[in-house]
Amino acid sequence: KAGVTQTPRYLIKTRGQQVTLSCSPISGHRSVSWYQQTPGQGLQFLFEYFSETQRNKGNFPGRFSGRQFSNSRSEMNVSTLELGDSALYLCASSVSGEVTGELFFGEGSRLTVL
Amino acid sequence: GNSVTQMEGPVTLSEEAFLTINCTYTATGYPSLFWYVQYPGEGLQLLLKATKADDKGSNKGFEATYRKETTSFHLEKGSVQVSDSAVYFCALRVFSGGYNKLIFGAGTRLAVHP
């Protein structure tokens, strides 16, 4: 069974640009969550999508957005990039996002903002 | 609110030493507890989990017991190997306010030397 696939793995942008990251969950998984990982703030929850609906959102500005498609693939977008957006962005999928369930993580997309 | 506190690293051990990484939590409701591991350059992998009080999660020689009375979920391993060198994250998940999300501790870096 293929794992969670994130693309691109690495990217470099400049301040003010925007970026779109993609996540393909494990087949059959309907819940997709996004996390930002930085050395200073650790792992912070961005949002969760289930059946194309955002049902949970973290404390990030509106520049961070996402969506989920009917095949459960998800994208997140960051507009007007700032230096502080440099981070590893991790996507995780689960069957239905239940409290007891395991999240399966991708290897992440490492974004560097110059 | 819901939060996880784990011991600061780095933890440096010799091969075959005993490992303990402390984790305590604060949660409303009845959380599920998890340990995730992140190897260099990779995403997070679930190491073990426990979904109710007194449950013991175990995997690859690692163990952790869900202690409701002390709100703790300490990670232990009797004999570490060089290959266990990684960052370990304690996390909780609880249904609160109509949502559930995975909340991580800051992570503890483990370095095992031959």
Side-chain angles (χ1 to χ4, degrees), chain A residues 71-84:
Chain A
N71 62 358
S72 293
R73 190 177 71 85
S74 177
E75 289 181 347
M76 67 162 281
N77 183 278
V78 188
S79 62
T80 320
L81 284 166
E82 300 177 359
L83 295 178

Side-chain angles (χ1 to χ4, degrees), chain A residues 9 35 37 43 45 55-56 88 90 97-103 105-107, chain B residues 32 34 36 38 41 43-44 46 49 51 89 93-95 99-102 104:
Chain A
R9 289 291 312 279
Y35 290 81
Q37 185 177 25
L43 281 154
F45 173 78
R55 66 178 183 182
N56 206 349
L88 180 67
L90 291 165
E98 66 276 15
V99 169
T100 58
E102 175 182 356
L103 290 189
F105 283 83
E107 293 186 316
Chain B
S32 296
F34 306 82
Y36 280 83
Q38 186 174 34
L44 278 71
L46 178 68
K49 73 174 186 180
T51 59
F89 293 92
R93 198 165 183 182
V94 62
F95 190 80
Y99 304 112
N100 81 76
K101 60 185 180 183
L102 201 58
F104 288 92

Side-chain angles (χ1 to χ4, degrees), chain B residues 57-78:
Chain B
S58 61
N59 186 27
K60 300 181 182 179
F62 290 90
E63 293 182 341
T65 301
Y66 188 141
R67 301 286 188 200
K68 192 169 187 292
E69 64 277 11
T70 55
T71 61
S72 65
F73 192 54
H74 305 320
L75 182 68
E76 296 182 335
K77 186 175 185 182

Side-chain angles (χ1 to χ4, degrees), chain B residues 86-98:
Chain B
V87 181
Y88 292 81
F89 293 92
C90 185
L92 71 81
R93 198 165 183 182
V94 62
F95 190 80
S96 175

Side-chain angles (χ1 to χ4, degrees), chain B residues 29-47:
Chain B
Y30 303 95
S32 296
L33 302 174
F34 306 82
W35 277 101
Y36 280 83
V37 58
Q38 186 174 34
Y39 297 101
E42 298 184 11
L44 278 71
Q45 302 173 26
L46 178 68
L47 184 58

Side-chain angles (χ1 to χ4, degrees), chain A residues 27-90:
Chain A
S27 178
H29 286 194
R30 296 167 64 193
S31 169
V32 174
S33 302
W34 288 89
Y35 290 81
Q36 181 196 63
Q37 185 177 25
T38 59
Q41 299 298 316
L43 281 154
Q44 292 190 286
F45 173 78
L46 281 156
F47 26 64
E48 183 209 3
Y49 287 87
F50 181 80
S51 294
E52 302 179 66
T53 301
Q54 184 185 89
R55 66 178 183 182
N56 206 349
K57 189 176 189 304
N59 294 324
F60 278 82
R63 300 185 297 107
F64 292 81
S65 63
R67 59 179 175 169
Q68 187 180 32
F69 302 95
S70 58
N71 62 358
S72 293
R73 190 177 71 85
S74 177
E75 289 181 347
M76 67 162 281
N77 183 278
V78 188
S79 62
T80 320
L81 284 166
E82 300 177 359
L83 295 178
D85 297 333
S86 295
L88 180 67
Y89 290 88
L90 291 165

